[in-house]
Amino acid sequence: MFERTEDQQAVVEMVRDFAATALAPHAAEWDETKHFPVDVLAEAGTLGMGGIYVGETYGGSGLSRTDAVLIFEELAKADPSIAAYISIHNMVAWMVDAFGNETQRAAWLPGLTSMTELGSYCLTEPGAGSDAAALATRAVRDGDEYVINGTKQFISGAGTSTWYVVMARTAETGSHGITAIVVPDGTPGLSFGAEEKKMGWRAQPTRQVVFEDVRVPVSNRLGEEGDGFMIAMKGLNGGRINIGACSLGGAQTAFEKSVAYLKERHAFGAALVKQQHLLFELADMDTELETARTLLMRAADALEHGAPDTVKLCAMAKRVATDTGFRVANQALQLHGGYGYLSEYGLEKIVRDLRVHQILEGSNEIMRLIVGRLALED
Amino acid sequence: MKIVVLIKQVPDTYEERTLDLTTGWLNRDAGDNIVDEINERALEVALQQKDKDKSTEVVVLAMGPDGAAKAIRKALSMGADSGIHVKDDSLAGSDAIRTAAVLAAALKDVGADIILAGNESTDGRGGVVPAMVAEFLSLPLLGALSVAEFSAGTVSGERRSEEGTLRVSSALPAVVTVTENIAEARFPNFKGILTAKRKPVSTVSVGELEVASTPARSMVVSTSERPVRAAGTKVVDEGTAGTQLAAYLIENRLV
């Protein structure tokens, strides 16, 4: 599990080369100009990054969840914002692959896996975040169609995506009354809010998705009526691991920048690494990153093999990796002193990008709620 | 059409490259070894031809130690169909003529329409091996092309020089080399990486080739490390800086 196979080494090498040439040189500019590089995403798609753990029949790469951790960490080393978007897109593609029928998979997966068509995950609402089962967007059956009304909040890729996987209420039975429906872009009644101004993740658009009498065929439903919440949560198990890997990647870069800086920067007559308390700080950062990486791989392995403690491990790994990632990135900024606060040094962007990872894909408070409740069950 | 691309594993140019001062040879363990960047572009030219015409067969040929298998694997993951690995301890340190003779012998029965290579590799930069291979095989050489086009039975392209651009063409089979100005090499995709190990690679030793067994090695007489960069000359302007600068340039034959 911890020794990388020859294939994994080759995969990591390729992703590193791609990220170093196609992402890293532009990351600061995309952040500053809020540019969403759909052309680069399509390039990532040709390399197999649109459906990393989607089956090969309709263009997926058929890789494992542990492979995905390695891939997202490498992408995030160059740009956490783009890496995280690719993670969300993969969650959508996987949901279609895992829960779609043959016709749906044949129709939707080729575009998703090649990333010529992007996907958005629509669960959160203005009034339902952590309490996702309380969502109010409604889908009412009318003959062979669903009529959808409601608003989704904080939707990554909204306005750019071709496919929106929407969790909508079809019955008043709490989490059992939610259904997953795929809504194509351009459907009458589908509109988007203004682009949100955000602390980080500026290279990907975040907007509201608004449904006003949006009609889609019943054949756009993933799974059965009432399966939606289960589908959304299963998608999030992987989403949590991937976002954790994105935190690791960003923080790893911040850590490596810090090592280089403390070796080079002289104060009080010696390189800063000669100050033992700073050396200890580097040691803690490195150790915490490795601890998070280890737990993340353990959770990914559990998810890959359908282990009974998958949900718990994914929640634990998400919390540890995203908290660690932010702490390490923030500490790296501190170690750079005033320079860390300047955009030019690239650290403040990592801090801004990684901050939201503690909030989304289930906030870290919800992760503790999941772990705590499971502890009580035993 | 069958294209054989000559590839060489070299130390990554992004890292510090050093000589082993006792043997005088390149220190190959000092850093990552990768497929030579110009060779990779040659492979890209071949793969683009394969993209256009699916019947094109792309074979990669490498001579080198065990580690060169990794370079072949990378080429296969990018889309080459098969590989030939000439591997023999007796070949260590072979000079350009010996290398070309062995490569030519390995190419003899492959039936290549085009033998494609980079015009030089980033390690030794001798830039002579492809021409020597052409000579050994009595094939025409179209060297240092920045544009290469293939059609049934012919290859044509452009070679740029300080005086102008030459348009060259030749009947096939031929040896073609391309410069670093040609196509940017593609990344292998995940599928390519996973299928690479299922593609055939034949390993050939010198004994299996029809080539003289006399080893020819370049003898390194002496080596020295690159001198540490000295501080430059500073001219402080006290009214005569222009004259001093001109004198410096003339003295060092810089004008």
Side-chain angles (χ1 to χ4, degrees), chain A residues 6-7 13-14 17 21 46-48 63 71, chain B residues 70 73-74 187-191 193-194 197:
Chain A
E6 234 174 50
D7 282 345
E13 206 171 286
M14 181 278 271
D17 286 349
T21 54
T46 65
L47 302 177
L63 295 175
I71 291 164
Chain B
K70 196 185 162 218
R73 171 85 71 95
K74 169 84 186 288
F187 295 107
N189 63 22
F190 293 147
K191 218 167 274 178
I193 291 170
L194 297 183
K197 63 172 178 283

Side-chain angles (χ1 to χ4, degrees), chain A residues 36 70 96-97 104 109 130 150 159 174 178 182 188 262 266 272 285 308 315 319 330 365 367 373:
Chain A
F36 187 44
L70 301 174
V96 170
D97 191 43
Q104 292 170 331
L109 282 175
S130 286
I178 295 168
V182 175
L262 295 191
H266 280 65
L272 284 178
M285 291 159 80
R319 182 178 86 74
N330 198 33
E365 288 71 25
M367 296 307 102
R373 280 178 182 164

Side-chain angles (χ1 to χ4, degrees), chain A residues 5-142:
Chain A
T5 64
E6 234 174 50
D7 282 345
Q8 283 178 329
Q9 286 172 31
V11 161
V12 165
E13 206 171 286
M14 181 278 271
V15 178
R16 184 179 299 154
D17 286 349
F18 168 75
T21 54
L23 304 182
H26 312 290
E29 188 200 330
W30 292 341
D31 177 71
E32 203 179 327
T33 58
K34 301 184 175 67
H35 174 69
F36 187 44
V38 288
D39 52 336
V40 177
L41 293 175
E43 195 188 341
T46 65
L47 302 177
M49 296 182 204
I52 294 168
Y53 41 87
V54 166
E56 291 174 74
T57 317
Y58 298 109
S61 294
L63 295 175
S64 74
R65 300 296 188 143
T66 45
D67 296 335
V69 168
L70 301 174
I71 291 164
F72 286 114
E73 181 175 353
E74 287 306 321
L75 289 172
K77 281 179 185 172
D79 189 349
S81 176
I82 298 302
Y85 177 77
I86 296 176
S87 144
I88 295 165
H89 174 86
N90 269 272
M91 178 163 71
V92 170
W94 175 80
M95 285 160 69
V96 170
D97 191 43
F99 301 103
N101 59 37
E102 188 63 26
T103 316
Q104 292 170 331
R105 290 162 64 231
W108 300 332
L109 282 175
L112 285 169
T113 53
S114 64
M115 291 190 92
T116 50
E117 296 177 349
L118 301 174
S120 284
Y121 175 91
C122 308
L123 175 67
T124 299
E125 298 185 352
S130 286
D131 188 9
L135 63 84
T137 294
R138 203 162 294 274
V140 178
R141 181 101 183 228
D142 180 22

